[in-house]
Each structure stands twice: as structure tokens, then as C-alpha cells.
Amino acid sequence: LESVVIRKECLFDFDVWFDPDYEVIEEYDFFVRISEKWKVDYVEEALSKWRMHEASWTWSKPELFIDERKLMLTKIEARSDLLKNFPDAVQTFRGLVRRSEVIFLWRNKQTKNARALMLHHISSIRDFFLFFATFVPYTWVLYLKSKLTNRTVMPK
């Protein structure tokens, strides 16, 4: 859950706030660019809640998130300064991009493709569990997650 507070003068540093290449991750891209020029911090308590529904793009167009994250990764990897100064952050983002694509493939019953994408990139316990989770139907994991968290998880 996130809320953002931005100093007004920070916004004046940018000719373009939102990159027109993005439809669903435009804020994420903007905040990454802000963090390059400004000090950022966070508060660990929840300050807002998301409203989720089946018509939201999060649920109805998950492929857009994958495509746009891949595009953002391509832009990041083209910048040697980011690769040099933030190698761990770039590697973390690569993992996020890969895992989101694996989950999308798994969710859409393309488990062989999902496993092939993960096979040579298991670099954390999270990756390990995701790889082995793809051997069961995605809906089983959603059901288990809803029981463990006492939250309704919307299947797709």
C-alpha cells in the first residue's frame, strides 16, 4: 500500500513527468527518475489502501505490466551510469520483470514456458519456490494464499 508526497520544487526538475511510452507503470518510472535527483525515504505504516476490482488494468491487462517493465528494463540497461552505480537495484528489477512474466505464463496455463524462463535464473529462495509452484495449477496457489491470509484473491 503506498502514498506519495512530493515536494513541489522537485516537479520543476522535469520537463516531462510521465513518459508516454508507459500506460500502467508511468508513476513507477517517474518515481525512479525522481530518486535519481532527490533524496527519497519511506514510512513503514500503511497510509492508504488500494481498491481492486476485476475491471482494473491490474487484473484485466496484466500483459501491459510485463511489456512495460521489459521496456523500462531495456531503458535502464542502456544507461551505463545506472548499471555501474546501482547494480543491485538493476538486478532486483531484472528479477521482478522475470518473475512477473513467469507468473503471467503460469496463470495462463503456459507452465512449460514459465519453467523454461525461470530454470537458469533461480537466484533466491523466492525464485526456487516460484519455479516449483509452477508444477501445480495457479488456482491452487491462489486458494491456498486466500486461506493463509484471510483475504479473497481474485482468480483470472
Side-chain angles (χ1 to χ4, degrees):
L1 305 181
E2 73 259 349
S3 295
V4 178
V5 177
I6 302 172
R7 291 181 185 273
K8 185 170 61 172
E9 59 266 21
C10 166
L11 299 176
F12 298 135
D13 276 355
F14 298 94
D15 295 331
V16 175
W17 292 353
F18 301 112
D19 186 330
D21 288 342
Y22 303 117
E23 292 182 63
V24 292
I25 67 163
E26 69 280 359
E27 295 98 351
Y28 184 81
D29 169 69
F30 185 50
F31 299 141
V32 167
R33 289 185 287 121
I34 286 173
S35 72
E36 289 182 73
K37 296 182 175 194
W38 290 80
K39 182 179 177 186
V40 296
D41 205 348
Y42 68 96
V43 176
E44 288 210 29
E45 80 181 83
L47 302 173
S48 64
K49 292 184 178 185
W50 286 357
R51 185 176 73 87
M52 296 174 69
H53 52 87
E54 286 188 39
S56 76
W57 282 14
T58 302
W59 294 102
S60 64
K61 299 183 180 204
E63 67 281 356
L64 272 180
F65 284 90
I66 294 163
D67 292 344
E68 290 186 12
R69 284 177 180 153
K70 284 180 172 180
L71 175 60
M72 185 177 202
L73 182 59
T74 300
K75 288 181 177 185
I76 288 169
E77 289 177 332
R79 292 190 46 196
S80 60
D81 60 323
L82 292 179
L83 294 173
K84 179 184 171 201
N85 296 326
F86 305 102
D88 293 341
V90 173
Q91 189 60 31
T92 297
F93 190 66
R94 276 189 195 114
L96 170 72
V97 171
R98 184 176 46 258
R99 282 188 299 277
S100 63
E101 186 171 10
V102 166
I103 291 168
F104 175 79
L105 292 168
W106 176 33
R107 208 173 150 176
N108 289 286
K109 298 178 175 64
Q110 297 178 44
T111 54
K112 288 183 182 179
N113 294 340
R115 281 185 223 120
L117 186 58
M118 278 299 288
L119 189 59
H120 301 292
H121 299 285
I122 298 175
S123 59
S124 69
I125 194 77
R126 177 187 225 171
D127 293 341
F128 177 82
F129 281 115
L130 178 57
F131 177 77
F132 282 101
T134 64
F135 285 91
V136 299
Y138 181 76
T139 53
W140 290 12
V141 174
L142 282 183
Y143 176 78
L144 182 61
K145 185 176 181 179
S146 71
K147 294 301 176 190
L148 292 173
T149 62
N150 286 326
R151 281 195 229 159
T152 303
V153 180
M154 298 168 62
K156 190 73 174 160

